[in-house]
Amino acid sequence: MRLNKIYISFFMLVTLFMACGKEKQSEEKQTMKIEKSAHKKVVYQVFTRLFGNTNTTNKPWGTIEENGVGKFSDFTDKALKKIKDLGVTHIWYTGIPHHDVIRDYTEFGISNDDPDVVKGRAGSPYAVKDYYNVNPDLADNPAQRLAEFKALIKRTHKAGLQLIIDIVPNHVARNYQGLTNPEGVDDFGAKDDKTVVYDVNNNFYYVPGEAFKVPEWQNGYQPLGGENNPLADHRFEEYPAKWTGNGSRAAQPDVNDWYETVKINYGVSPDGRKDFNELPEGFENKNYKKHFDFWKDKKVPSSWIKFKDIALYWIEMGVDGFRYDMAEMVPVEFWSYMNSAIKMKNENAFLMAEVYNPDLYRDYIRKGKMDYLYDKVQLYDTIKNIMQGHGSTDHIAAIEKWKKDIEHHMLHFLENHDEQRIASPEFAGNALNGKPAMVVSATISTSPTLVYFGQELGEPGAENAGFGSPSRTSIFDYIGVPNLQRWVNDKKFDGGASTEEEKSLRDFYKRLLNFTINSSAMMGAYQDIHHHNRYHTEWYNDKVLSYVRWDTTEKLIIVSNFNDSNHYGFDLQIPEDIIKKWNLKDGEYETEDQIYHKDKTTLKVENGVGFIRVELDPLESFILKLK
């Protein structure tokens, strides 16, 4: 506080002290209220067209008739209840907006899509063709596909879940065609000046005077696996050519480019100039309302308005939030503009984004008003190395320290549609290797936890679906997901056909996730005890990790063994500063594991330092709660 006068009367000082005391009490009450009401979030990502598919044919490049497809209607009240009972708060339905598909829907007024610019037969969910409607594959009656999705929204909310869908602002399908645009909404590019490479209000970037050419295929690749299709002629009409989704400026992109998509122009010129207002200095500290007010009187590029309107369309329909694809490829100012508009409609909207550059994290959270970003290149990559046997737990505490000011915003995951399945040979080769990693991922911070459907059942992603290779469950083709299908059990959703190993793994996930969403300490404090024990505890090593979590009502000691073959026993130390923070006197305190509730052990405090005997089997974890 800066004072304009040197002299302040004793009375003013006393008044100021009392006021500050009241303000501090008020802040403490507010903090306690937030701590009491806030809970951990768990997101269940489900690939919508695969979830309810009970067909087990799994023919490479198979059609819907051959391989089957899941529907909106497969998410029955019972299925959604089972998902919620797993310990889930939010469900992310992947592949909802209408994207390119290789199936004839012309009787519903939908144009056919060209296999030369579609990946797979079912198509990429990130090559969106119509943002104001949904994938016709997912509907029992494609003519009523939007009504069927609205019914799914109602069932999801009835189950006590919030729902998230994808928005992909960086690019759209090459053949974007809105069939059900609201009145007054033009398609992307409808008003573009195609004679120039760039104009601030063009939706796309162009290669004037050159036609688009399909990439030269490599390594024997052929669309649809070489199946005869009248549109698979290595040609696609696009004149002039547009820049490709990943930024390629060539009229003929490379086969490794995102050739099925075109890049959206956000008012950034080819030489990097920003043709829009930038946020004033210090605006990273302003709330979303201030950001919304800032943009009210500013002229923004056409693409900004289009995507803001798309987001608000889904929010009005009842969607509770979005997952943004490749958010860092879009200017942070746009996110300030769109996310603040969303929050004005629904302040509790759940906004998570794919950002892989740690140097940009704080900007996209504070300036871009993102709620959550993927903790990929730091925590996920480090844990993956440990799970594969060639990493060290010594690095984790440093990661948590680096992101201490933003830890709540860094969403944790071990699987998603972009990453390899834990049980695949290319990752860990065994789903059980994910158990200690899952405990750490889910309990080390206040941030949300993401689980990919089938992860809780040890799905290995081994199917050769067509486009791409195994280890990731295909997002491009019609396929069955075997481990999940056994749990779905002919749509009984009861695990009746699951193996004992699958049932046991799902039980572990259910116990862990439900603990995290109900534990108040998960939204409280964190402190590393790993490094203290590395220096002071015999037999403790860098395949083990330990830390503590606590709040005013819960005190937890969490310890995990990442080694898949060695048992470790040691007297884990709880440092003196933590014992002081926990207000523990010398003596003995009983603890109980919160995952299986079978293991009880005693914390002994001697001369202000805590000691607790821990015996860890391979891949075992304990969440020890002080009674």
Side-chain angles (χ1 to χ4, degrees):
M1 181 182 292
R2 293 182 179 180
L3 303 176
N4 295 326
K5 296 182 179 179
I6 296 176
Y7 175 77
I8 300 179
S9 69
F10 175 76
F11 174 78
M12 290 177 68
L13 281 171
V14 172
T15 303
L16 181 63
F17 176 78
M18 291 175 64
C20 288
K22 288 180 179 178
E23 184 178 344
K24 185 177 181 181
Q25 287 179 1
S26 176
E27 287 178 358
E28 286 175 351
K29 286 181 179 178
Q30 183 67 20
T31 301
M32 288 175 67
K33 181 180 178 183
I34 291 171
E35 186 178 276
K36 189 175 180 180
S37 62
H39 288 280
K40 189 95 166 173
K41 296 180 175 69
V42 173
V43 180
Y44 190 77
Q45 182 193 2
V46 58
F47 211 85
T48 315
R49 70 166 172 253
L50 301 183
F51 177 78
N53 181 21
T54 57
N55 187 310
T56 60
T57 304
N58 284 357
K59 174 185 174 182
W61 297 99
T63 64
I64 283 180
E65 290 74 19
E66 292 169 322
N67 282 0
V69 70
K71 302 288 185 179
F72 291 133
S73 57
D74 292 327
F75 293 91
T76 62
D77 290 339
K78 183 177 181 181
L80 290 167
K81 182 181 185 302
K82 291 291 187 177
I83 291 171
K84 185 176 190 300
D85 289 348
L86 186 63
V88 171
T89 60
H90 293 66
I91 185 166
W92 165 17
Y93 292 111
T94 304
I96 295 300
H98 182 181
H99 57 78
D100 281 352
V101 299
I102 305 300
R103 198 175 193 227
D104 192 335
Y105 285 111
T106 52
E107 66 177 294
F108 303 102
I110 299 170
S111 60
N112 283 328
D113 298 320
D114 191 326
D116 289 308
V117 288
V118 178
K119 291 180 177 176
R121 185 182 293 276
S124 168
Y126 299 108
V128 176
K129 179 178 180 177
D130 183 356
Y131 260 115
Y132 287 101
N133 218 310
V134 297
N135 180 2
D137 278 351
L138 302 175
D140 294 312
N141 178 3
Q144 296 297 317
R145 58 193 184 278
L146 199 55
E148 291 188 31
F149 178 63
K150 290 177 181 178
L152 176 58
I153 293 175
K154 289 182 179 179
R155 289 198 303 279
T156 304
H157 287 157
K158 179 184 174 185
L161 294 163
Q162 294 191 40
L163 71 146
I164 301 161
I165 67 171
D166 290 277
I167 288 185
V168 191
N170 180 63
H171 48 272
V172 296
R174 285 205 173 268
N175 57 333
Y176 190 93
Q177 183 184 28
L179 296 179
T180 54
N181 293 351
E183 187 176 349
V185 173
D186 296 313
D187 270 359
F188 287 96
K191 295 182 177 178
D192 280 7
D193 178 358
K194 300 178 183 180
T195 66
V196 296
V197 174
Y198 164 82
D199 182 272
V200 65
N201 282 312
N202 276 358
N203 297 137
F204 303 124
Y205 299 92
Y206 294 93
V207 187
E210 291 190 55
F212 171 77
K213 293 181 181 178
V214 174
E216 292 298 328
W217 306 132
Q218 297 176 9
N219 302 318
Y221 171 77
Q222 291 181 294
L224 304 181
E227 175 188 306
N228 186 32
N229 183 294
L231 293 176
D233 55 3
H234 209 252
R235 293 166 52 194
F236 178 78
E237 275 196 40
E238 179 182 289
Y239 185 87
K242 304 180 183 78
W243 288 15
T244 294
N246 63 322
S248 171
R249 305 181 182 190
Q252 184 178 31
D254 184 80
V255 69
N256 296 308
D257 290 324
W258 304 347
Y259 60 82
E260 78 280 22
T261 66
V262 289
K263 185 168 179 62
I264 297 291
N265 166 21
Y266 281 89
V268 179
S269 70
D271 62 2
R273 183 184 71 252
K274 292 182 175 181
D275 288 330
F276 47 78
N277 291 89
E278 296 191 53
L279 293 169
E281 187 176 347
F283 236 67
E284 65 273 14
N285 300 316
K286 304 290 185 183
N287 63 26
Y288 71 84
K289 293 179 181 178
K290 295 292 185 183
H291 281 245
F292 180 78
D293 288 340
F294 173 79
W295 295 109
K296 273 183 178 177
D297 61 351
K298 306 296 188 298
K299 186 176 181 181
V300 298
S302 165
S303 298
W304 290 32
I305 299 168
K306 286 187 180 297
F307 268 102
K308 182 256 297 180
D309 290 346
I310 287 165
L312 296 183
Y313 168 83
W314 293 107
I315 290 289
E316 291 288 344
M317 192 178 293
V319 169
D320 300 297
F322 305 105
R323 180 268 190 185
Y324 298 130
D325 185 82
M326 295 307 297
E328 68 190 88
M329 297 181 76
V330 177
V332 72
E333 291 84 359
F334 161 75
W335 294 115
S336 163
Y337 169 80
M338 184 163 89
N339 287 341
S340 63
I342 293 170
K343 292 289 188 180
M344 291 298 290
K345 290 288 185 182
N346 178 5
E347 66 177 347
N348 297 313
F350 188 104
L351 307 177
M352 66 173 174
E354 193 179 23
V355 174
Y356 293 139
N357 182 352
D359 291 338
L360 298 177
Y361 287 171
R362 287 165 178 80
D363 274 355
Y364 277 76
I365 292 166
R366 294 168 178 166
K367 291 182 179 179
K369 297 303 164 196
M370 295 293 186
D371 292 322
Y372 309 108
L373 307 180
Y374 281 19
D375 198 345
K376 199 280 185 193
V377 301
Q378 292 178 318
L379 189 67
Y380 168 83
D381 285 349
T382 299
I383 288 180
K384 183 175 182 178
N385 284 336
I386 298 167
M387 292 167 68
Q388 292 177 325
H390 47 73
S392 168
T393 55
D394 290 348
H395 302 303
I396 291 178
I399 292 171
E400 295 306 303
K401 183 177 181 180
W402 180 86
K403 64 181 184 182
K404 185 177 180 180
D405 59 320
I406 57 170
E407 60 84 23
H408 179 67
H409 302 279
M410 300 308 299
L411 176 137
H412 294 171
F413 62 90
L414 295 181
E415 289 188 357
N416 63 45
H417 67 278
D418 285 321
E419 306 299 341
Q420 294 167 324
R421 291 286 195 174
I422 295 168
S424 70
E426 293 82 357
F427 189 158
N430 187 341
L432 297 182
N433 286 54
K435 291 178 74 173
M438 194 63 209
V439 170
V440 171
S441 182
T443 66
I444 201 168
S445 78
T446 68
S447 63
T449 305
L450 172 70
V451 176
Y452 191 37
F453 82 124
Q455 176 183 339
E456 74 279 16
L457 295 159
E459 174 58 40
E463 293 69 44
N464 175 17
F467 187 90
S469 57
S471 80
R472 297 168 178 84
T473 296
S474 175
I475 66 171
F476 303 109
D477 286 286
Y478 304 112
I479 202 73
V481 184
N483 292 36
L484 180 77
Q485 287 176 321
R486 288 191 285 275
W487 178 82
V488 169
N489 191 25
D490 198 25
K491 304 189 183 181
K492 296 183 185 74
F493 306 104
D494 60 2
S498 295
T499 66
E500 291 305 312
E501 290 80 7
E502 289 162 2
K503 290 176 184 177
S504 175
L505 185 62
R506 192 177 193 277
D507 177 65
F508 163 79
Y509 273 82
K510 184 177 180 179
R511 290 171 179 270
L512 173 63
L513 296 176
N514 274 285
F515 170 76
T516 66
I517 64 173
N518 289 299
S519 165
S520 61
M522 289 295 99
M523 301 306 290
Y526 153 87
Q527 188 167 325
D528 168 66
I529 59 172
H530 172 77
H531 283 281
H532 177 89
N533 281 278
R534 285 282 276 144
Y535 284 106
H536 297 97
T537 300
E538 188 178 14
W539 304 114
Y540 189 94
N541 60 78
D542 75 341
K543 300 307 176 189
V544 174
L545 184 72
S546 59
Y547 48 89
V548 293
R549 300 294 312 275
W550 77 94
D551 69 347
T552 55
T553 60
E554 278 189 328
K555 297 174 180 64
L556 306 173
I557 302 165
I558 300 170
V559 56
S560 291
N561 177 10
F562 282 83
N563 192 289
D564 62 1
S565 55
N566 290 342
H567 172 105
Y568 297 120
F570 43 77
D571 293 318
L572 187 74
Q573 291 191 32
I574 312 301
E576 184 178 7
D577 63 326
I578 294 173
I579 297 298
K580 285 182 179 178
K581 290 173 184 176
W582 287 5
N583 295 316
L584 299 182
K585 307 298 182 184
D586 282 8
E588 296 187 352
Y589 301 85
E590 187 178 349
T591 74
E592 182 181 30
D593 173 53
Q594 299 300 292
I595 302 177
Y596 290 106
H597 299 279
K598 292 179 181 178
D599 295 275
K600 295 182 180 180
T601 187
T602 301
L603 171 67
K604 297 179 181 179
V605 179
E606 299 175 355
N607 299 318
V609 178
F611 299 88
I612 187 166
R613 183 65 188 175
V614 175
E615 299 285 345
L616 284 167
D617 285 335
L619 302 176
E620 188 172 30
S621 298
F622 293 126
I623 301 174
L624 300 172
K625 179 179 177 180
L626 266 67
K627 288 192 171 182

